[in-house]
Amino acid sequence: MRTAQLLLASLVAITPAEAQRATAAQPATGSVSGRVTSVNGVPLRGAEVRVRDPDGRENRLTTTDEQGRYQVDNLLPGTWSVSAAKGGYLTQQYGQRGPLSAGETLTLGARQRVVANFVLRPGGAVAGRLFDEYGDPVAGARMQMFQQRFNRGRRVMAPAGIGDQTDDTGAFRLYALPPGDYYLSATLRAAVGGIIEAMVGAPTYYPGTSSLGDAQRIRLGPGEELTGISFAAQPVRSVTVSGVVVLASGAPARDTTVTLLSEGGDFSVVSTPLGNFGRTGSDGSF
């Protein structure tokens, strides 16, 4: 009986005015909802929609239903970035006008519901096989597409899309690529101690050259898939580069990452690190 009286007292202790003030003290949240479809208007179920604040403090992820619809609730007022992605399609940012253009953030007010629809375009793909100099398939090679870009006024080669690894038949497939011109590279890998993987030798560029200047350009149209892109990895003897890194004061640069970049043809810089990505020791050596 005593416990019931205490419980009743605690229940009637909160007045309507106090409850209203407690509700008002809670931040009023909003929501983002919409639909994800293909360029043909077909709903894309299972597409991932990610909502993030620019500061990275909150990252929400949901998937679309059978009608391609999604909704993310309880979002605080402010600016948010929204993106939609599905395998085989190009990821789209909210406000993005083209595959390579920048997206926009949306501003969400208190108790506001914002509709953000997405139309995903199919990405291009490149498939083929990698062989060694004897015509045997190469398994476990790292395959990567590269594109020319400008960085601080210099033309560089930057990785594009998601890389792949050849299977036991030497087969690979690189997908979800925007339309454009690409260069394809293959880099052999080897296990070190059974745990860490390291690059072995120099990359081979399609159609089978170790020189980037002699590499053949691959042009992909919107949603185009190119098959039969097969070539042989070039056997290249690896070398070791060592040295010492010092600061402007002459003191050793400790724990500094050292990478090796290749140059070739008309490309002044290639943003493709080679080797095992060494770090300097306490005396600045690598």
Side-chain angles (χ1 to χ4, degrees):
M1 183 66 179
R2 178 63 176 172
T3 302
Q5 291 175 343
L6 290 175
L7 178 59
L8 179 62
S10 64
L11 291 176
V12 300
I14 301 177
T15 65
E18 290 173 335
Q20 185 176 6
R21 286 194 296 270
T23 302
Q26 297 178 355
T29 59
S31 66
V32 176
S33 61
R35 200 172 184 217
V36 182
T37 61
S38 69
V39 292
N40 298 324
V42 178
L44 296 180
R45 61 183 180 183
E48 293 186 344
V49 179
R50 190 177 298 275
V51 182
R52 295 180 292 186
D53 76 82
D55 297 330
R57 292 172 296 183
E58 188 166 359
N59 190 343
R60 307 275 293 277
L61 179 66
T62 188
T63 56
T64 57
D65 61 16
E66 293 185 355
Q67 300 301 318
R69 301 186 184 279
Y70 75 92
Q71 182 166 326
V72 181
D73 298 316
N74 302 319
L75 297 173
L76 294 175
T79 57
W80 295 86
S81 64
V82 187
S83 63
K86 185 176 175 62
Y89 292 83
L90 301 179
T91 300
Q92 184 181 12
Q93 305 287 332
Y94 173 79
Q96 193 174 19
R97 300 293 182 266
L100 300 180
S101 64
E104 302 174 357
T105 57
L106 59 82
T107 301
L108 189 65
R111 299 185 179 87
Q112 183 181 8
R113 299 188 63 181
V114 174
V115 176
N117 296 320
F118 294 89
V119 179
L120 301 188
R121 300 181 179 276
V126 172
R129 297 178 68 189
L130 183 69
F131 303 95
D132 62 17
E133 66 269 32
Y134 305 108
D136 296 325
V138 176
R142 176 69 178 177
M143 310 299 295
Q144 182 68 59
M145 300 292 277
F146 289 86
Q147 274 188 314
Q148 294 185 44
R149 296 177 186 173
F150 283 91
N151 183 16
R152 299 179 181 179
R154 307 182 71 181
R155 185 163 54 171
V156 303
M157 294 292 286
I162 302 173
D164 192 18
Q165 182 171 293
T166 56
D167 62 17
D168 60 327
T169 67
F172 65 89
R173 186 174 184 272
L174 305 170
Y175 61 93
L177 296 166
D181 295 334
Y182 296 89
Y183 294 87
L184 173 61
S185 78
T187 307
L188 304 183
R189 287 173 170 261
V192 178
I195 301 176
I196 303 174
E197 287 189 342
M199 304 283 186
V200 178
T204 298
Y205 300 97
Y206 177 78
T209 174
S210 58
S211 172
L212 182 58
D214 296 329
Q216 181 177 323
R217 182 177 59 186
I218 298 175
R219 176 164 293 180
L220 273 179
E224 182 180 9
E225 179 162 351
L226 299 178
T227 58
I229 306 298
S230 303
F231 60 106
Q234 294 296 310
V236 179
R237 184 177 180 181
S238 60
V239 298
T240 300
V241 178
S242 61
V244 177
V245 181
V246 297
L247 302 175
S249 62
R254 302 180 178 89
D255 196 30
T256 301
T257 301
V258 179
T259 58
L260 184 65
L261 303 179
S262 66
E263 297 184 2
D266 298 329
F267 309 104
S268 57
V269 178
V270 180
S271 59
T272 312
L274 307 174
N276 61 348
F277 315 106
R279 298 188 70 86
T280 58
S282 59
D283 59 351
S285 64
F286 65 91

